[in-house]
Amino acid sequence: PPVVVAPKRDWYKALIEARRLI
Amino acid sequence: IFAAIEEENDLLMTDEDVEEMIVLAFELLCGRRIPMLVFAYRGRWELAAALDNMEKARSEYRIAQATGLSRIRALASFVNNQNLKQNPEQETFLLQINHSADLLVEQAESFLDQKAETLMTYCLKAKKQPKSADMRWVKEQADVLSESLALWKEIRKAYERIGRIHAVLIKASERWEKFISTFAVSDDKLQIGKGLRGLKVLEKEIALDAEQKSDVCQQLAVFLN
């Protein structure tokens, strides 16, 4: 089976930054 | 296909699986006879139980694998829809849903990387010049990112489950091997008896008679209509 890494910190960071802006 | 039957969940079947089932149905209608071997075991209950456990673990493993793959395909379809939405006119790079799981995961990962980076860069710029920022775009992109992230977590959960079930399967098959070596009468001799006990191999055939063909045709007509 493929290696599915944990969700990356960068993904969350971008989301948090966007939510903060909105 | 077996996973879809056992779980009564059509989504575990791919389009290719459906195609193969339809081809098989038409072959049977045209008179194909499919020979098959059936294995059955009668004898010590410990052995029967061990075999049962192993088969159960094997089928759960198959279901887990199919589930994992269908989760990956769900994310790949989502990525494709987003790419199509973004560039409705240009030729867009689309993920091939029938590609291997490894490749799809890799491509989905780079989609998420790219989305996050673009969004981050835009947000940092928008912070400096809030007046010219397109907030609707930011919200849209954030929604896409959070939805893909949720799908990603689903995939991860499914693959962790595959790992756990694989361990169970290995244990069950070790148990089976152990029983086999404990109860084996002789290691290298095949014993042929009256067939009351032991492993039974039956030859059977899958074929349709006229009445069954008519039943299948009726059902197919409903689907095709």
Side-chain angles (χ1 to χ4, degrees):
Chain A
V3 182
V4 186
V5 295
K8 294 184 190 169
R9 200 175 284 185
D10 285 351
W11 302 347
Y12 285 115
K13 268 194 201 162
L15 253 185
I16 292 165
E17 200 63 50
R19 297 266 183 250
R20 224 180 254 157
L21 209 63
I22 302 163
Chain B
I1 293 169
F2 283 129
I5 295 170
E6 278 178 58
E7 294 274 283
E8 291 188 39
N9 181 358
D10 295 346
L11 292 176
L12 295 180
M13 273 204 318
T14 66
D15 286 349
E16 288 86 67
D17 291 336
V18 176
E19 204 176 294
E20 282 187 35
M21 290 311 287
I22 291 175
V23 168
L24 200 57
F26 276 95
E27 283 184 356
L28 285 167
L29 287 176
C30 292
R32 185 175 162 191
R33 312 180 79 80
I34 305 167
M36 61 182 271
L37 297 176
V38 180
F39 297 89
Y41 176 81
R42 265 173 88 172
R44 285 180 181 275
W45 68 267
E46 298 100 320
L47 274 178
L51 184 61
D52 244 26
N53 276 342
M54 194 170 67
E55 283 307 314
K56 217 173 102 193
R58 203 197 302 279
S59 102
E60 271 174 22
Y61 182 60
R62 267 202 307 252
I63 290 169
Q65 269 184 319
T67 309
L69 191 60
S70 84
R71 297 280 184 278
I72 289 177
R73 286 180 173 156
L75 177 56
S77 303
F78 181 77
V79 169
N80 280 347
N81 282 339
Q82 294 313 317
N83 283 338
L84 280 174
K85 245 194 236 166
Q86 243 167 26
N87 320 303
E89 269 127 49
Q90 300 165 12
E91 259 195 49
T92 333
F93 169 73
L94 293 180
L95 306 190
Q96 298 296 311
I97 301 295
N98 56 356
H99 271 171
S100 75
D102 295 81
L103 191 61
L104 287 178
V105 166
E106 210 182 289
Q107 290 171 332
E109 190 180 339
S110 69
F111 171 84
L112 274 152
D113 282 342
Q114 213 188 332
K115 265 274 161 276
E117 205 194 312
T118 317
L119 188 58
M120 193 63 167
T121 315
Y122 191 92
C123 287
L124 292 180
K125 244 200 308 193
K127 248 182 168 167
K128 285 178 197 152
Q129 300 159 309
K131 274 182 196 158
S132 60
D134 181 352
M135 284 309 170
R136 238 184 64 188
W137 185 87
V138 173
K139 192 183 175 316
E140 247 172 51
Q141 296 303 304
D143 286 347
V144 170
L145 185 59
S146 92
E147 209 153 319
S148 348
L149 194 58
L151 287 167
W152 184 272
K153 282 193 208 155
E154 284 286 318
I155 296 175
R156 197 168 146 77
K157 219 163 71 188
Y159 274 87
E160 275 169 0
R161 188 157 172 262
I162 292 177
R164 276 201 306 277
I165 293 177
H166 190 237
V168 174
L169 176 60
I170 287 176
K171 229 182 191 169
S173 99
E174 276 170 3
R175 218 175 143 78
W176 166 248
E177 296 286 334
K178 203 185 102 197
F179 274 125
I180 283 284
S181 58
T182 315
F183 292 120
V185 185
S186 162
D187 282 345
D188 49 9
K189 262 187 209 152
L190 176 67
Q191 295 199 331
I192 301 171
K194 283 178 196 154
L196 293 175
R197 300 194 111 203
L199 195 63
K200 248 188 176 169
V201 185
L202 293 175
E203 205 183 321
K204 282 195 176 172
E205 213 174 40
I206 299 174
L208 298 177
D209 62 23
E211 201 178 314
Q212 288 164 333
K213 277 181 193 171
S214 137
D215 284 348
V216 173
C217 283
Q218 265 172 19
Q219 202 58 47
L220 273 179
V222 174
F223 287 134
L224 292 175
N225 281 335

